[in-house]
Amino acid sequence: MAHTELSLATALKPLLILLALANTTACAADHITRDYRSQPVFDAAKFFDGHTTGRGTLKVIFHRAERTLVDGNGHVAPDRSIILDQTVRRGRRAPTHRRWQLHPNGRDGYTGTLTDAAGPVTGRVLGNRLHLTFVMKGGIHAEQWLYLDPSGRIANNVMTFRKLGVTVGRLDETITHESR
């Protein structure tokens, strides 16, 4: 009997993992319509010019959630490109540094680079929402949705990470523009 129970539990484990992943994926996109507003329009250059602080929680599949703290210092170049240097703290790990460079592309788009990315970053603004996509090193596809609140001082960031089409992580973060 014990052998049968063990075999059944072993057989059901992949199904339970798939059900958990399906639930995570279904809940991951509810913010897209819930947090969207037509105003204020997300002006990335204005928001990231100066000092920002991001506080959040990162949850990676099969790992405990960990707190994140991101200190950012940005400036806008004469061509309206955004250069954002960030110090990232995750849980008890040593701080790391990353740099974003985003260039305006048309009226509501961005293209650029990120030190954590394996290729280009693309972005699009729609109302209070800035949507960024890129592939990270290791083939992880990142999709980031930032929603500007009515004060223009706070942005809520929802970022999902996918590997082979499966959601493997999610970051929920509040970014505050400190110098306003």
Side-chain angles (χ1 to χ4, degrees):
M1 179 73 169
H3 179 67
T4 305
E5 288 174 10
L6 181 59
S7 298
L8 183 58
T10 303
L12 288 177
K13 188 174 182 180
L15 177 61
L16 293 173
I17 290 171
L18 286 174
L19 288 172
L21 288 173
N23 186 42
T24 301
T25 303
C27 296
D30 68 338
H31 62 87
I32 294 171
T33 55
R34 181 191 69 216
D35 297 336
Y36 172 75
R37 309 247 184 302
S38 61
Q39 295 293 322
V41 173
F42 200 120
D43 182 340
K46 184 177 178 182
F47 185 79
F48 289 109
D49 187 22
H51 182 242
T52 54
T53 302
R55 297 177 192 282
T57 303
L58 175 65
K59 176 64 178 108
V60 177
I61 192 169
F62 305 125
H63 295 277
R64 287 184 168 182
E66 58 186 347
R67 298 268 182 212
T68 61
L69 176 64
V70 180
D71 287 312
N73 288 296
H75 68 276
V76 180
D79 68 352
R80 297 283 296 155
S81 294
I82 304 157
I83 299 165
L84 177 61
D85 289 297
Q86 296 178 315
T87 300
V88 180
R89 292 173 181 83
R90 265 182 64 186
R92 296 182 180 184
R93 299 171 192 222
T96 59
H97 178 267
R98 70 175 166 221
R99 174 175 267 201
W100 295 83
Q101 291 184 308
L102 295 175
H103 311 282
N105 180 10
R107 201 177 97 217
D108 60 357
Y110 290 94
T111 58
T113 60
L114 170 63
T115 52
D116 293 351
V121 175
T122 60
R124 179 93 29 228
V125 172
L126 178 63
N128 72 326
R129 180 174 65 202
L130 171 60
H131 179 218
L132 300 169
T133 60
F134 53 94
V135 177
M136 299 175 70
K137 295 169 183 163
I140 296 173
H141 292 257
E143 189 169 21
Q144 193 166 0
W145 303 84
L146 295 107
Y147 298 91
L148 188 64
D149 86 340
S151 75
R153 193 174 154 261
I154 297 171
N156 292 310
N157 178 21
V158 177
M159 187 172 185
T160 56
F161 307 94
R162 289 185 177 83
K163 180 80 174 186
L164 302 173
V166 176
T167 300
V168 295
R170 177 177 164 134
L171 171 70
D172 289 283
E173 175 186 43
T174 300
I175 304 169
T176 305
H177 192 286
E178 299 295 344
S179 50
R180 290 204 177 112

